[in-house]
């Protein structure tokens, strides 16, 4: 974990959490901190972009997004059956595993930059002039639940607001490493969401502001009649604030609270251009997944000394 030099005090769990007073595990999952004096510019600067297991200071052109995709991942156990060579995973027609709890999904937003535009990464807290250490063209906004070190996501804590909402910004390769290489999940992706350039810019800016505003101390609420704050409700709320729907589509915006069927949520908003398409993210990153450096990092990541 790397932190800014002036952040010596640990971030603590909220008072009304059953983990109140314990430090939040921000070693890999945390919200970003905007440098507010850049918000009026076309290129914003913020801290805690996550890439290759490290936090960075990032500069990002707000007009650089060419496509936005909706992604979903079911994190319950995969269904299996007896095959000729033993147990095998049951796949649907899209090649995505069928899971034991089909309604238990994680949702996230993928941003792809247009040609000639990039997210430039510099060592955390350093000046953002000069040659960047990395240039990223593909990244994800993902709201995830975190707790104290050693406390994993669980439905009890998520429902009763005992965890903290981390509004992450991370490179798509980092998400592929965590979710696919290490955890062997399958992430499915919608076609590009049909938004205007102005709407894409607004979705990106509102996502950044939402992450900054959370300040690593707001509660993650899996479901609540008022104040739901989960991986599904927040991204859809962001889109709904910038999209001017006709009245009958506006009725569809009432569906957003539970992480049940995100493609239906897109469809009722008129934002799913082809409901039959389910792209597998792992198919787009086969070269990265099988690189020797990626597999070596996986072995090091999963070693007991890295927990």
């Amino acid at each position: 974990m790397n932190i800014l030099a002036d952040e010596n005090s640990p971030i603590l769990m909220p008072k009304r959490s059953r983990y109140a007073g314990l430090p939040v595990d921000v070693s890999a999952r945390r919200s970003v901190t905007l440098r507010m004096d850049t918000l009026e510019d076309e290129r914003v600067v913020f801290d805690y972009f996550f890439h290759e297991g490290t936090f960075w200071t990032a500069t990002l052109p707000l007009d650089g997004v060419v496509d936005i995709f909706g992604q979903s991942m079911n994190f319950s156990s995969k269904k299996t059956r007896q095959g000729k060579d033993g147990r095998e995973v049951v796949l649907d027609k899209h090649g995505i595993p069928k899971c034991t709890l089909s309604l238990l999904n994680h949702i996230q937003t993928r941003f792809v930059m247009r040609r000639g535009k990039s997210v430039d990464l510099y060592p955390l807290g350093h000046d953002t002039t000069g040659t960047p250490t990395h240039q990223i063209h593909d990244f994800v906004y993902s709201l995830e639940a975190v707790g104290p070190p050693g406390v994993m996501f669980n439905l009890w804590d998520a429902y009763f607001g005992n965890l903290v909402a981390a509004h992450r910004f991370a490179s798509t390769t980092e998400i592929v490493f965590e979710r696919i290489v290490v955890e062997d999940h399958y992430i499915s992706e919608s076609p590009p969401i049909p938004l205007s350039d102005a709407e894409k810019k607004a979705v990106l800016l509102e996502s950044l502001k939402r992450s900054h505003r959370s300040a690593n101390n707001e509660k993650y609420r899996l479901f609540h009649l008022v104040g739901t704050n989960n991986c599904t409700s927040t991204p859809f709320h962001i889109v709904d604030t910038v999209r001017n729907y006709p009245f009958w589509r506006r009725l569809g915006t009432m569906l957003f609270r539970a992480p049940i069927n995100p493609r239906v949520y897109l469809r009722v908003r008129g934002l799913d251009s082809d409901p039959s398409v389910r792209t597998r993210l792992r198919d787009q990153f086969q070269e990265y997944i099988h690189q020797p450096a990626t597999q070596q990092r996986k072995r090091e990541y999963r070693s007991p000394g890295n927990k």
Side-chain angles (χ1 to χ4, degrees):
M1 178 181 68
N2 53 334
I3 61 174
L4 294 177
D6 60 349
E7 292 195 1
N8 296 317
S9 300
I11 300 170
L12 302 181
M13 295 294 294
K15 290 182 179 180
R16 293 188 179 181
S17 165
R18 68 172 175 148
Y19 306 111
L22 295 177
V24 180
D25 184 358
V26 292
S27 58
R29 289 171 167 80
R30 62 173 298 154
S31 301
V32 305
T33 301
L34 283 169
R35 298 192 183 179
M36 301 303 290
D37 58 337
T38 69
L39 281 186
E40 300 302 321
D41 302 329
E42 286 300 304
R43 193 175 188 90
V44 297
V45 181
F46 61 97
D47 296 314
Y48 297 109
F49 185 99
F50 201 59
H51 175 63
E52 293 189 347
T54 301
F55 288 113
W56 304 87
T57 290
T59 69
L60 190 160
L62 293 175
D63 63 349
V65 175
V66 64
D67 284 315
I68 296 178
F69 302 86
Q71 295 184 334
S72 65
M73 176 192 77
N74 189 291
F75 52 91
S76 65
S77 300
K78 301 180 183 73
K79 290 183 178 180
T80 62
R81 64 188 173 198
Q82 188 63 39
K84 292 187 299 182
D85 300 316
R87 302 298 297 180
E88 61 184 20
V89 175
V90 181
L91 304 177
D92 66 14
K93 64 180 181 180
H94 303 288
I96 298 170
K98 295 183 178 181
C99 295
T100 53
L101 297 174
S102 61
L103 303 183
L104 195 61
N105 298 292
H106 173 71
I107 314 304
Q108 57 195 25
T109 311
R110 180 186 181 188
F111 297 87
V112 176
M113 307 296 284
R114 66 180 75 253
R115 186 181 299 273
K117 300 287 186 176
S118 64
V119 184
D120 294 345
L121 303 185
Y122 300 84
L124 186 65
H126 286 220
D127 185 66
T128 57
T129 59
T131 303
T133 306
H134 299 283
Q135 289 187 304
I136 304 298
H137 302 90
D138 196 330
F139 62 95
V140 167
Y141 165 61
S142 174
L143 192 160
E144 302 176 22
V146 297
V151 175
M152 307 299 291
F153 176 89
N154 62 88
L155 293 177
W156 177 272
D157 282 335
Y159 182 81
F160 286 102
N162 290 317
L163 302 174
V164 167
H167 297 249
R168 306 177 74 200
F169 276 82
S171 63
T172 304
T173 53
E174 183 65 30
I175 297 299
V176 169
F177 177 77
E178 294 175 3
R179 299 301 195 183
I180 297 176
V181 175
V182 175
E183 299 174 2
D184 195 31
H185 287 302
Y186 282 70
I187 298 175
S188 66
E189 187 172 83
S190 73
I193 298 175
L195 300 171
S196 68
D197 287 344
E199 288 169 334
K200 294 171 189 174
K201 177 179 178 180
V203 168
L204 174 57
L205 181 57
E206 289 305 312
S207 299
L208 285 164
K209 288 180 176 179
R210 187 68 185 83
S211 179
H212 174 85
R213 191 164 65 247
S214 72
N216 298 295
N217 63 11
E218 70 176 23
K219 289 188 174 185
Y220 181 98
R221 290 188 179 276
L222 181 62
F223 184 82
H224 204 270
L225 291 179
V226 178
T228 298
N229 186 34
N230 63 41
C231 64
T232 304
S233 64
T234 297
F236 273 105
H237 180 70
I238 289 171
V239 171
D240 293 344
T241 60
V242 305
R243 180 75 168 175
N244 186 20
Y245 299 105
F247 173 75
W248 66 283
R249 290 290 190 193
R250 178 61 61 180
L251 295 176
T253 64
M254 293 186 291
L255 296 175
F256 68 92
R257 287 185 174 86
I260 295 175
N261 195 324
R263 290 300 292 270
V264 169
Y265 295 175
L266 282 176
R267 204 170 307 152
V268 297
R269 289 166 167 80
L271 298 177
D272 192 347
S273 59
D274 189 347
S276 68
V277 173
R278 297 285 194 282
T279 303
R280 303 194 321 175
L281 188 64
R282 63 173 55 213
D283 294 338
Q284 303 173 44
F285 285 84
Q286 282 297 301
E287 182 178 354
Y288 168 77
I289 290 170
H290 294 291
Q291 283 178 357
T294 303
Q295 293 301 312
Q296 178 60 33
R297 184 185 171 196
K298 175 184 177 181
R299 289 188 288 271
E300 295 172 354
Y301 184 91
R302 302 188 71 176
S303 66
N306 196 45
K307 297 298 182 184

